Amino acid sequence: MKLKQVKTMANKQTVTIELPKPIEVEGSESIIEVEMVEPYAGEMRGLKFVDIMQGDMDAMTALIPRICPKLTERHMLNMSPINLTPLIGGVLNFFVESDS
């Protein structure tokens, strides 16, 4: 899983994730990488923190499109399992303290 972390001006971290399998989008180019923005409480509303930390699919299907503008809930429901691991890892990465 390739992650590239950056801090934004609003002091939110972003992570760029390269997807192992491109997501085909009708009428436009395939999605080969996505950028996630650090989730704050507003993006996690209605979700249980424990479900997020366990990588629960219902929680991830709701959360990832909120913090990843390129992806929709429909993309999540139709996604190849090979792309789920780096995306869920990207989310969980925000909850781990790093020195960088």
Side-chain angles (χ1 to χ4, degrees):
M1 171 172 64
K2 294 182 182 180
L3 296 176
K4 183 175 81 173
Q5 288 190 331
V6 179
K7 287 233 183 209
T8 64
M9 288 178 35
N11 211 22
K12 277 191 169 189
Q13 287 186 352
T14 63
V15 173
T16 302
I17 299 170
E18 187 177 318
L19 299 174
K21 183 175 182 179
I23 299 172
E24 301 299 324
V25 180
E26 189 177 320
S28 64
E29 293 184 24
S30 299
I31 300 172
I32 56 172
E33 72 175 22
V34 295
E35 184 175 275
M36 284 186 180
V37 179
E38 180 181 12
Y40 279 13
E43 287 93 6
M44 295 188 293
R45 69 190 176 285
L47 303 174
K48 294 180 182 171
F49 186 73
V50 69
D51 289 345
I52 294 169
M53 295 307 293
Q54 290 178 341
D56 177 79
M57 279 309 299
D58 289 332
M60 292 298 165
T61 299
L63 179 59
I64 290 173
R66 294 178 187 178
I67 63 173
C68 189
K70 280 189 177 180
L71 297 178
T72 65
E73 187 173 334
R74 179 61 45 205
H75 290 130
M76 294 298 298
L77 294 173
N78 294 325
M79 187 173 294
S80 169
I82 199 166
N83 286 335
L84 292 174
T85 302
L87 289 173
I88 292 171
V91 171
L92 297 178
N93 189 57
F94 289 119
F95 298 97
V96 179
E97 187 175 352
S98 71
D99 294 333
S100 54

